[in-house]
Amino acid sequence: MIESTDWTPSASLEALRFRADRLREIRRFFDERQVLEVETPVLGHGGSVDPLLDSLSLEARGPKGLERLWLATSPEFHMKRLLAAGSGPIYQLARAFRDGERGRRHNLEFTLLEWYRPGYGLELLREECVELIERVIERPVQLRVHRYRQLFRDALDIDPFDVGGDELARLAAEFAAVDCAGWERDDCLDLLFSHAIEPALGADPGGPVALLDAVVDYPASQAALARKRFDPEDGAELAARFELYWQGVELANGYHELLDAGEQATRFLADNAARRLRGKPEVDIDRALLAALDHGLPACSGVALGVDRLLMLAAGEARIDAVIAFPFERC
């Protein structure tokens, strides 16, 4: 007798038809704008070294024997190699993987929509992102833009750039009821943001118009693969990036992309050092990406949007399981 197990999809067939329809609309959106759809590998010889992400890896036999390969947390590295090769504007509906991420809004395997626009600055890319979301959810969107620094001032009466580390850890501990002593600044800021600020972002008032909130001017320490710029207020270094929120859920993360191969290599090394301090394994640096940057990446902006999350909210659901066929427990 075959062992009993739940083989059925978590999403209804109606939800899967809704998903298919919305994916067709996304492709129409980019086709109308003559943005090329591409496909890139989910495996790479380098992976994401971001200290806040945990990559999945495997060993595979290739021409050189047994090699370590990394499942992509995003298609970014391969897509930037295409940009450096002269692809022009590109997009991808990609499978992405992140270890340990499972919950109401997370699945270890998920769908990312990522696209890159040579010649675009952040504002122009953000406008296009809003237009896409309007098409997917079939509602007009009202966008509000908030500076990261001001959100902390309004919600917590602190300046996240100037507050002392001990005070930051104390506040984080109050909100999360955990001991935050010894935590890095960005860890405390992320916790405070997720508990005290994020839930109110993009609160949906109902009615015909959806309210979308953009957060800009993050600390330079959170730049990742984005450029940096200076704050006109006091000259502080900022990350040239934005995030979009709807109904308290982060949907999209956009960068004015870093072009400097040397600077990116330095950041990769610093990230792996941070991983060691956290007791996490190092991740192989993507040297093909660095070579592509050294060859020359066109000035561009790019954004990654969580498709499962957007469809979950568009369908009025509370869990992404309702809009994906087989989540982690049923795969």
PDB file of all heavy atoms in Angstrom, residues 44-51 53-57 68-71 73 77 268-269 271-273 275-276 280-287:
ATOM      1  N   GLY A  44      24.587  28.571 -10.193  1.00  0.00           N
ATOM      2  CA  GLY A  44      25.752  29.367 -10.538  1.00  0.00           C
ATOM      3  C   GLY A  44      26.960  28.942  -9.730  1.00  0.00           C
ATOM      4  O   GLY A  44      26.832  28.342  -8.658  1.00  0.00           O
ATOM      5  N   HIS A  45      28.138  29.278 -10.246  1.00  0.00           N
ATOM      6  CA  HIS A  45      29.367  28.967  -9.523  1.00  0.00           C
ATOM      7  C   HIS A  45      29.617  29.943  -8.380  1.00  0.00           C
ATOM      8  O   HIS A  45      30.482  29.700  -7.540  1.00  0.00           O
ATOM      9  CB  HIS A  45      30.556  28.960 -10.483  1.00  0.00           C
ATOM     10  CG  HIS A  45      30.569  27.765 -11.390  1.00  0.00           C
ATOM     11  ND1 HIS A  45      29.971  27.769 -12.630  1.00  0.00           N
ATOM     12  CD2 HIS A  45      31.081  26.514 -11.222  1.00  0.00           C
ATOM     13  CE1 HIS A  45      30.129  26.583 -13.199  1.00  0.00           C
ATOM     14  NE2 HIS A  45      30.787  25.797 -12.370  1.00  0.00           N
ATOM     15  N   GLY A  46      28.884  31.046  -8.350  1.00  0.00           N
ATOM     16  CA  GLY A  46      28.900  31.979  -7.230  1.00  0.00           C
ATOM     17  C   GLY A  46      27.486  32.206  -6.758  1.00  0.00           C
ATOM     18  O   GLY A  46      26.520  32.005  -7.507  1.00  0.00           O
ATOM     19  N   GLY A  47      27.351  32.622  -5.505  1.00  0.00           N
ATOM     20  CA  GLY A  47      26.025  32.853  -4.939  1.00  0.00           C
ATOM     21  C   GLY A  47      25.943  34.182  -4.231  1.00  0.00           C
ATOM     22  O   GLY A  47      26.879  34.988  -4.258  1.00  0.00           O
ATOM     23  N   SER A  48      24.828  34.426  -3.571  1.00  0.00           N
ATOM     24  CA  SER A  48      24.636  35.660  -2.818  1.00  0.00           C
ATOM     25  C   SER A  48      25.393  35.582  -1.499  1.00  0.00           C
ATOM     26  O   SER A  48      25.196  34.655  -0.713  1.00  0.00           O
ATOM     27  CB  SER A  48      23.152  35.889  -2.533  1.00  0.00           C
ATOM     28  OG  SER A  48      22.989  36.991  -1.652  1.00  0.00           O
ATOM     29  N   VAL A  49      26.253  36.565  -1.268  1.00  0.00           N
ATOM     30  CA  VAL A  49      27.016  36.614  -0.017  1.00  0.00           C
ATOM     31  C   VAL A  49      26.313  37.476   1.031  1.00  0.00           C
ATOM     32  O   VAL A  49      26.845  37.673   2.127  1.00  0.00           O
ATOM     33  CB  VAL A  49      28.447  37.141  -0.259  1.00  0.00           C
ATOM     34  CG1 VAL A  49      29.222  36.206  -1.159  1.00  0.00           C
ATOM     35  CG2 VAL A  49      28.425  38.550  -0.846  1.00  0.00           C
ATOM     36  N   ASP A  50      25.136  37.991   0.721  1.00  0.00           N
ATOM     37  CA  ASP A  50      24.382  38.844   1.652  1.00  0.00           C
ATOM     38  C   ASP A  50      24.271  38.152   3.013  1.00  0.00           C
ATOM     39  O   ASP A  50      23.759  37.034   3.101  1.00  0.00           O
ATOM     40  CB  ASP A  50      22.989  39.103   1.080  1.00  0.00           C
ATOM     41  CG  ASP A  50      22.207  40.151   1.859  1.00  0.00           C
ATOM     42  OD1 ASP A  50      22.368  40.215   3.094  1.00  0.00           O
ATOM     43  OD2 ASP A  50      21.430  40.884   1.243  1.00  0.00           O
ATOM     44  N   PRO A  51      24.731  38.796   4.089  1.00  0.00           N
ATOM     45  CA  PRO A  51      24.683  38.152   5.408  1.00  0.00           C
ATOM     46  C   PRO A  51      23.273  37.827   5.892  1.00  0.00           C
ATOM     47  O   PRO A  51      23.095  36.975   6.764  1.00  0.00           O
ATOM     48  CB  PRO A  51      25.346  39.190   6.337  1.00  0.00           C
ATOM     49  CG  PRO A  51      26.151  40.063   5.443  1.00  0.00           C
ATOM     50  CD  PRO A  51      25.403  40.118   4.149  1.00  0.00           C
ATOM     51  N   LEU A  53      20.838  36.672   3.940  1.00  0.00           N
ATOM     52  CA  LEU A  53      20.238  35.625   3.124  1.00  0.00           C
ATOM     53  C   LEU A  53      21.024  34.332   3.285  1.00  0.00           C
ATOM     54  O   LEU A  53      22.244  34.359   3.443  1.00  0.00           O
ATOM     55  CB  LEU A  53      20.227  36.024   1.639  1.00  0.00           C
ATOM     56  CG  LEU A  53      19.405  37.232   1.228  1.00  0.00           C
ATOM     57  CD1 LEU A  53      19.522  37.456  -0.270  1.00  0.00           C
ATOM     58  CD2 LEU A  53      17.952  37.072   1.627  1.00  0.00           C
ATOM     59  N   ASP A  54      20.329  33.213   3.234  1.00  0.00           N
ATOM     60  CA  ASP A  54      20.976  31.906   3.283  1.00  0.00           C
ATOM     61  C   ASP A  54      20.694  31.173   1.978  1.00  0.00           C
ATOM     62  O   ASP A  54      19.541  30.897   1.644  1.00  0.00           O
ATOM     63  CB  ASP A  54      20.470  31.094   4.478  1.00  0.00           C
ATOM     64  CG  ASP A  54      20.925  31.691   5.800  1.00  0.00           C
ATOM     65  OD1 ASP A  54      22.099  32.121   5.874  1.00  0.00           O
ATOM     66  OD2 ASP A  54      20.121  31.738   6.748  1.00  0.00           O
ATOM     67  N   SER A  55      21.769  30.898   1.248  1.00  0.00           N
ATOM     68  CA  SER A  55      21.644  30.245  -0.048  1.00  0.00           C
ATOM     69  C   SER A  55      21.586  28.730   0.108  1.00  0.00           C
ATOM     70  O   SER A  55      22.119  28.168   1.066  1.00  0.00           O
ATOM     71  CB  SER A  55      22.834  30.614  -0.939  1.00  0.00           C
ATOM     72  OG  SER A  55      22.888  31.999  -1.188  1.00  0.00           O
ATOM     73  N   LEU A  56      20.956  28.085  -0.852  1.00  0.00           N
ATOM     74  CA  LEU A  56      20.992  26.634  -0.973  1.00  0.00           C
ATOM     75  C   LEU A  56      22.072  26.269  -1.975  1.00  0.00           C
ATOM     76  O   LEU A  56      22.283  26.971  -2.971  1.00  0.00           O
ATOM     77  CB  LEU A  56      19.640  26.107  -1.448  1.00  0.00           C
ATOM     78  CG  LEU A  56      18.486  26.212  -0.445  1.00  0.00           C
ATOM     79  CD1 LEU A  56      17.152  26.106  -1.168  1.00  0.00           C
ATOM     80  CD2 LEU A  56      18.596  25.134   0.609  1.00  0.00           C
ATOM     81  N   SER A  57      22.773  25.167  -1.725  1.00  0.00           N
ATOM     82  CA  SER A  57      23.833  24.756  -2.638  1.00  0.00           C
ATOM     83  C   SER A  57      23.778  23.253  -2.851  1.00  0.00           C
ATOM     84  O   SER A  57      23.088  22.523  -2.123  1.00  0.00           O
ATOM     85  CB  SER A  57      25.208  25.164  -2.089  1.00  0.00           C
ATOM     86  OG  SER A  57      25.491  24.478  -0.884  1.00  0.00           O
ATOM     87  N   ARG A  68      30.983  22.730  -6.454  1.00  0.00           N
ATOM     88  CA  ARG A  68      29.921  23.337  -5.650  1.00  0.00           C
ATOM     89  C   ARG A  68      29.181  24.359  -6.498  1.00  0.00           C
ATOM     90  O   ARG A  68      29.776  25.240  -7.110  1.00  0.00           O
ATOM     91  CB  ARG A  68      30.523  24.022  -4.421  1.00  0.00           C
ATOM     92  CG  ARG A  68      29.546  24.879  -3.610  1.00  0.00           C
ATOM     93  CD  ARG A  68      28.525  24.063  -2.865  1.00  0.00           C
ATOM     94  NE  ARG A  68      29.162  23.164  -1.899  1.00  0.00           N
ATOM     95  CZ  ARG A  68      28.484  22.282  -1.178  1.00  0.00           C
ATOM     96  NH1 ARG A  68      27.164  22.150  -1.329  1.00  0.00           N
ATOM     97  NH2 ARG A  68      29.121  21.504  -0.326  1.00  0.00           N
ATOM     98  N   LEU A  69      27.858  24.219  -6.543  1.00  0.00           N
ATOM     99  CA  LEU A  69      27.007  25.170  -7.249  1.00  0.00           C
ATOM    100  C   LEU A  69      25.992  25.756  -6.279  1.00  0.00           C
ATOM    101  O   LEU A  69      25.593  25.104  -5.312  1.00  0.00           O
ATOM    102  CB  LEU A  69      26.288  24.493  -8.419  1.00  0.00           C
ATOM    103  CG  LEU A  69      27.184  23.960  -9.549  1.00  0.00           C
ATOM    104  CD1 LEU A  69      26.351  23.178 -10.546  1.00  0.00           C
ATOM    105  CD2 LEU A  69      27.929  25.091 -10.231  1.00  0.00           C
ATOM    106  N   TRP A  70      25.550  26.967  -6.588  1.00  0.00           N
ATOM    107  CA  TRP A  70      24.630  27.701  -5.712  1.00  0.00           C
ATOM    108  C   TRP A  70      23.325  27.959  -6.427  1.00  0.00           C
ATOM    109  O   TRP A  70      23.304  28.400  -7.582  1.00  0.00           O
ATOM    110  CB  TRP A  70      25.264  29.028  -5.276  1.00  0.00           C
ATOM    111  CG  TRP A  70      26.557  28.830  -4.548  1.00  0.00           C
ATOM    112  CD1 TRP A  70      27.809  28.741  -5.094  1.00  0.00           C
ATOM    113  CD2 TRP A  70      26.717  28.637  -3.143  1.00  0.00           C
ATOM    114  NE1 TRP A  70      28.744  28.537  -4.116  1.00  0.00           N
ATOM    115  CE2 TRP A  70      28.113  28.460  -2.904  1.00  0.00           C
ATOM    116  CE3 TRP A  70      25.832  28.607  -2.060  1.00  0.00           C
ATOM    117  CZ2 TRP A  70      28.622  28.252  -1.624  1.00  0.00           C
ATOM    118  CZ3 TRP A  70      26.342  28.404  -0.788  1.00  0.00           C
ATOM    119  CH2 TRP A  70      27.725  28.223  -0.581  1.00  0.00           C
ATOM    120  N   LEU A  71      22.214  27.686  -5.748  1.00  0.00           N
ATOM    121  CA  LEU A  71      20.901  28.030  -6.288  1.00  0.00           C
ATOM    122  C   LEU A  71      20.678  29.527  -6.121  1.00  0.00           C
ATOM    123  O   LEU A  71      20.935  30.096  -5.058  1.00  0.00           O
ATOM    124  CB  LEU A  71      19.807  27.241  -5.563  1.00  0.00           C
ATOM    125  CG  LEU A  71      19.689  25.779  -5.976  1.00  0.00           C
ATOM    126  CD1 LEU A  71      18.958  24.976  -4.909  1.00  0.00           C
ATOM    127  CD2 LEU A  71      18.962  25.666  -7.305  1.00  0.00           C
ATOM    128  N   THR A  73      19.446  33.103  -5.374  1.00  0.00           N
ATOM    129  CA  THR A  73      18.487  33.832  -4.537  1.00  0.00           C
ATOM    130  C   THR A  73      17.786  34.908  -5.359  1.00  0.00           C
ATOM    131  O   THR A  73      16.784  35.466  -4.935  1.00  0.00           O
ATOM    132  CB  THR A  73      19.194  34.488  -3.341  1.00  0.00           C
ATOM    133  OG1 THR A  73      20.186  35.417  -3.810  1.00  0.00           O
ATOM    134  CG2 THR A  73      19.854  33.441  -2.451  1.00  0.00           C
ATOM    135  N   PHE A  77      22.704  38.305 -10.929  1.00  0.00           N
ATOM    136  CA  PHE A  77      24.076  38.199 -11.417  1.00  0.00           C
ATOM    137  C   PHE A  77      24.121  37.824 -12.896  1.00  0.00           C
ATOM    138  O   PHE A  77      24.855  38.431 -13.686  1.00  0.00           O
ATOM    139  CB  PHE A  77      24.858  37.184 -10.590  1.00  0.00           C
ATOM    140  CG  PHE A  77      25.062  37.562  -9.140  1.00  0.00           C
ATOM    141  CD1 PHE A  77      25.635  36.667  -8.257  1.00  0.00           C
ATOM    142  CD2 PHE A  77      24.687  38.801  -8.662  1.00  0.00           C
ATOM    143  CE1 PHE A  77      25.835  37.006  -6.928  1.00  0.00           C
ATOM    144  CE2 PHE A  77      24.867  39.152  -7.331  1.00  0.00           C
ATOM    145  CZ  PHE A  77      25.447  38.243  -6.459  1.00  0.00           C
ATOM    146  N   PHE A 268      31.645  42.350  -1.554  1.00  0.00           N
ATOM    147  CA  PHE A 268      31.498  40.900  -1.433  1.00  0.00           C
ATOM    148  C   PHE A 268      32.395  40.346  -0.324  1.00  0.00           C
ATOM    149  O   PHE A 268      31.982  39.501   0.471  1.00  0.00           O
ATOM    150  CB  PHE A 268      31.847  40.222  -2.766  1.00  0.00           C
ATOM    151  CG  PHE A 268      30.757  40.277  -3.808  1.00  0.00           C
ATOM    152  CD1 PHE A 268      31.058  39.999  -5.145  1.00  0.00           C
ATOM    153  CD2 PHE A 268      29.443  40.576  -3.488  1.00  0.00           C
ATOM    154  CE1 PHE A 268      30.070  40.030  -6.118  1.00  0.00           C
ATOM    155  CE2 PHE A 268      28.441  40.623  -4.454  1.00  0.00           C
ATOM    156  CZ  PHE A 268      28.770  40.336  -5.768  1.00  0.00           C
ATOM    157  N   LEU A 269      33.634  40.810  -0.281  1.00  0.00           N
ATOM    158  CA  LEU A 269      34.557  40.347   0.751  1.00  0.00           C
ATOM    159  C   LEU A 269      34.072  40.753   2.140  1.00  0.00           C
ATOM    160  O   LEU A 269      34.151  39.966   3.094  1.00  0.00           O
ATOM    161  CB  LEU A 269      35.957  40.912   0.484  1.00  0.00           C
ATOM    162  CG  LEU A 269      36.673  40.361  -0.758  1.00  0.00           C
ATOM    163  CD1 LEU A 269      37.963  41.144  -1.017  1.00  0.00           C
ATOM    164  CD2 LEU A 269      36.973  38.879  -0.610  1.00  0.00           C
ATOM    165  N   ASP A 271      30.983  41.276   3.017  1.00  0.00           N
ATOM    166  CA  ASP A 271      29.797  40.474   3.335  1.00  0.00           C
ATOM    167  C   ASP A 271      30.183  39.079   3.812  1.00  0.00           C
ATOM    168  O   ASP A 271      29.590  38.544   4.759  1.00  0.00           O
ATOM    169  CB  ASP A 271      28.878  40.368   2.110  1.00  0.00           C
ATOM    170  CG  ASP A 271      28.058  41.628   1.884  1.00  0.00           C
ATOM    171  OD1 ASP A 271      27.971  42.445   2.813  1.00  0.00           O
ATOM    172  OD2 ASP A 271      27.509  41.780   0.785  1.00  0.00           O
ATOM    173  N   ASN A 272      31.166  38.481   3.182  1.00  0.00           N
ATOM    174  CA  ASN A 272      31.606  37.158   3.637  1.00  0.00           C
ATOM    175  C   ASN A 272      32.244  37.240   5.022  1.00  0.00           C
ATOM    176  O   ASN A 272      32.086  36.318   5.838  1.00  0.00           O
ATOM    177  CB  ASN A 272      32.577  36.530   2.624  1.00  0.00           C
ATOM    178  CG  ASN A 272      31.916  35.473   1.756  1.00  0.00           C
ATOM    179  OD1 ASN A 272      30.932  34.846   2.145  1.00  0.00           O
ATOM    180  ND2 ASN A 272      32.458  35.272   0.560  1.00  0.00           N
ATOM    181  N   ALA A 273      32.957  38.338   5.296  1.00  0.00           N
ATOM    182  CA  ALA A 273      33.504  38.538   6.641  1.00  0.00           C
ATOM    183  C   ALA A 273      32.380  38.651   7.666  1.00  0.00           C
ATOM    184  O   ALA A 273      32.471  38.096   8.774  1.00  0.00           O
ATOM    185  CB  ALA A 273      34.389  39.785   6.666  1.00  0.00           C
ATOM    186  N   ARG A 275      29.460  37.302   7.371  1.00  0.00           N
ATOM    187  CA  ARG A 275      28.892  35.956   7.507  1.00  0.00           C
ATOM    188  C   ARG A 275      29.708  35.137   8.517  1.00  0.00           C
ATOM    189  O   ARG A 275      29.147  34.417   9.338  1.00  0.00           O
ATOM    190  CB  ARG A 275      28.849  35.249   6.149  1.00  0.00           C
ATOM    191  CG  ARG A 275      27.899  35.867   5.129  1.00  0.00           C
ATOM    192  CD  ARG A 275      27.830  35.048   3.840  1.00  0.00           C
ATOM    193  NE  ARG A 275      27.187  33.772   4.085  1.00  0.00           N
ATOM    194  CZ  ARG A 275      25.866  33.579   4.088  1.00  0.00           C
ATOM    195  NH1 ARG A 275      25.040  34.593   3.864  1.00  0.00           N
ATOM    196  NH2 ARG A 275      25.365  32.392   4.325  1.00  0.00           N
ATOM    197  N   ARG A 276      31.026  35.243   8.444  1.00  0.00           N
ATOM    198  CA  ARG A 276      31.869  34.504   9.386  1.00  0.00           C
ATOM    199  C   ARG A 276      31.587  34.929  10.821  1.00  0.00           C
ATOM    200  O   ARG A 276      31.502  34.102  11.734  1.00  0.00           O
ATOM    201  CB  ARG A 276      33.346  34.718   9.052  1.00  0.00           C
ATOM    202  CG  ARG A 276      33.800  34.032   7.767  1.00  0.00           C
ATOM    203  CD  ARG A 276      35.313  33.990   7.673  1.00  0.00           C
ATOM    204  NE  ARG A 276      35.916  35.323   7.671  1.00  0.00           N
ATOM    205  CZ  ARG A 276      36.139  36.032   6.573  1.00  0.00           C
ATOM    206  NH1 ARG A 276      35.807  35.547   5.383  1.00  0.00           N
ATOM    207  NH2 ARG A 276      36.710  37.210   6.649  1.00  0.00           N
ATOM    208  N   LYS A 280      27.985  31.956  10.010  1.00  0.00           N
ATOM    209  CA  LYS A 280      27.401  31.411   8.785  1.00  0.00           C
ATOM    210  C   LYS A 280      28.511  31.007   7.821  1.00  0.00           C
ATOM    211  O   LYS A 280      29.597  31.603   7.812  1.00  0.00           O
ATOM    212  CB  LYS A 280      26.496  32.444   8.106  1.00  0.00           C
ATOM    213  CG  LYS A 280      25.233  32.776   8.882  1.00  0.00           C
ATOM    214  CD  LYS A 280      24.337  33.697   8.074  1.00  0.00           C
ATOM    215  CE  LYS A 280      22.991  33.927   8.760  1.00  0.00           C
ATOM    216  NZ  LYS A 280      22.079  34.736   7.925  1.00  0.00           N
ATOM    217  N   PRO A 281      28.270  30.021   6.969  1.00  0.00           N
ATOM    218  CA  PRO A 281      29.288  29.631   5.991  1.00  0.00           C
ATOM    219  C   PRO A 281      29.497  30.714   4.945  1.00  0.00           C
ATOM    220  O   PRO A 281      28.568  31.446   4.585  1.00  0.00           O
ATOM    221  CB  PRO A 281      28.704  28.362   5.362  1.00  0.00           C
ATOM    222  CG  PRO A 281      27.227  28.487   5.542  1.00  0.00           C
ATOM    223  CD  PRO A 281      27.038  29.200   6.858  1.00  0.00           C
ATOM    224  N   GLU A 282      30.727  30.817   4.468  1.00  0.00           N
ATOM    225  CA  GLU A 282      30.999  31.723   3.361  1.00  0.00           C
ATOM    226  C   GLU A 282      30.356  31.180   2.087  1.00  0.00           C
ATOM    227  O   GLU A 282      30.122  29.982   1.950  1.00  0.00           O
ATOM    228  CB  GLU A 282      32.502  31.873   3.152  1.00  0.00           C
ATOM    229  CG  GLU A 282      33.201  32.628   4.271  1.00  0.00           C
ATOM    230  CD  GLU A 282      34.641  32.950   3.917  1.00  0.00           C
ATOM    231  OE1 GLU A 282      34.923  33.225   2.726  1.00  0.00           O
ATOM    232  OE2 GLU A 282      35.482  32.916   4.841  1.00  0.00           O
ATOM    233  N   VAL A 283      30.079  32.101   1.176  1.00  0.00           N
ATOM    234  CA  VAL A 283      29.506  31.748  -0.122  1.00  0.00           C
ATOM    235  C   VAL A 283      30.517  32.137  -1.196  1.00  0.00           C
ATOM    236  O   VAL A 283      31.151  33.199  -1.117  1.00  0.00           O
ATOM    237  CB  VAL A 283      28.160  32.471  -0.348  1.00  0.00           C
ATOM    238  CG1 VAL A 283      27.620  32.197  -1.746  1.00  0.00           C
ATOM    239  CG2 VAL A 283      27.146  32.055   0.712  1.00  0.00           C
ATOM    240  N   ASP A 284      30.665  31.289  -2.194  1.00  0.00           N
ATOM    241  CA  ASP A 284      31.605  31.581  -3.283  1.00  0.00           C
ATOM    242  C   ASP A 284      31.208  32.875  -3.990  1.00  0.00           C
ATOM    243  O   ASP A 284      30.043  33.066  -4.375  1.00  0.00           O
ATOM    244  CB  ASP A 284      31.622  30.436  -4.298  1.00  0.00           C
ATOM    245  CG  ASP A 284      32.188  29.147  -3.712  1.00  0.00           C
ATOM    246  OD1 ASP A 284      33.048  29.237  -2.826  1.00  0.00           O
ATOM    247  OD2 ASP A 284      31.747  28.066  -4.145  1.00  0.00           O
ATOM    248  N   ILE A 285      32.168  33.755  -4.167  1.00  0.00           N
ATOM    249  CA  ILE A 285      31.934  35.018  -4.859  1.00  0.00           C
ATOM    250  C   ILE A 285      31.733  34.765  -6.350  1.00  0.00           C
ATOM    251  O   ILE A 285      32.428  33.943  -6.957  1.00  0.00           O
ATOM    252  CB  ILE A 285      33.115  35.978  -4.619  1.00  0.00           C
ATOM    253  CG1 ILE A 285      33.112  36.463  -3.157  1.00  0.00           C
ATOM    254  CG2 ILE A 285      33.074  37.170  -5.576  1.00  0.00           C
ATOM    255  CD1 ILE A 285      34.337  37.256  -2.774  1.00  0.00           C
ATOM    256  N   ASP A 286      30.788  35.472  -6.940  1.00  0.00           N
ATOM    257  CA  ASP A 286      30.514  35.311  -8.369  1.00  0.00           C
ATOM    258  C   ASP A 286      31.538  36.115  -9.172  1.00  0.00           C
ATOM    259  O   ASP A 286      31.369  37.312  -9.417  1.00  0.00           O
ATOM    260  CB  ASP A 286      29.090  35.769  -8.694  1.00  0.00           C
ATOM    261  CG  ASP A 286      28.647  35.315 -10.076  1.00  0.00           C
ATOM    262  OD1 ASP A 286      29.465  35.383 -11.011  1.00  0.00           O
ATOM    263  OD2 ASP A 286      27.486  34.882 -10.220  1.00  0.00           O
ATOM    264  N   ARG A 287      32.597  35.441  -9.585  1.00  0.00           N
ATOM    265  CA  ARG A 287      33.676  36.131 -10.293  1.00  0.00           C
ATOM    266  C   ARG A 287      33.293  36.460 -11.735  1.00  0.00           C
ATOM    267  O   ARG A 287      33.844  37.401 -12.330  1.00  0.00           O
ATOM    268  CB  ARG A 287      34.949  35.284 -10.230  1.00  0.00           C
ATOM    269  CG  ARG A 287      35.365  35.018  -8.783  1.00  0.00           C
ATOM    270  CD  ARG A 287      36.771  34.529  -8.626  1.00  0.00           C
ATOM    271  NE  ARG A 287      37.034  34.290  -7.201  1.00  0.00           N
ATOM    272  CZ  ARG A 287      37.349  35.238  -6.317  1.00  0.00           C
ATOM    273  NH1 ARG A 287      37.453  36.502  -6.733  1.00  0.00           N
ATOM    274  NH2 ARG A 287      37.567  34.937  -5.048  1.00  0.00           N
TER     275      ARG A 287
END
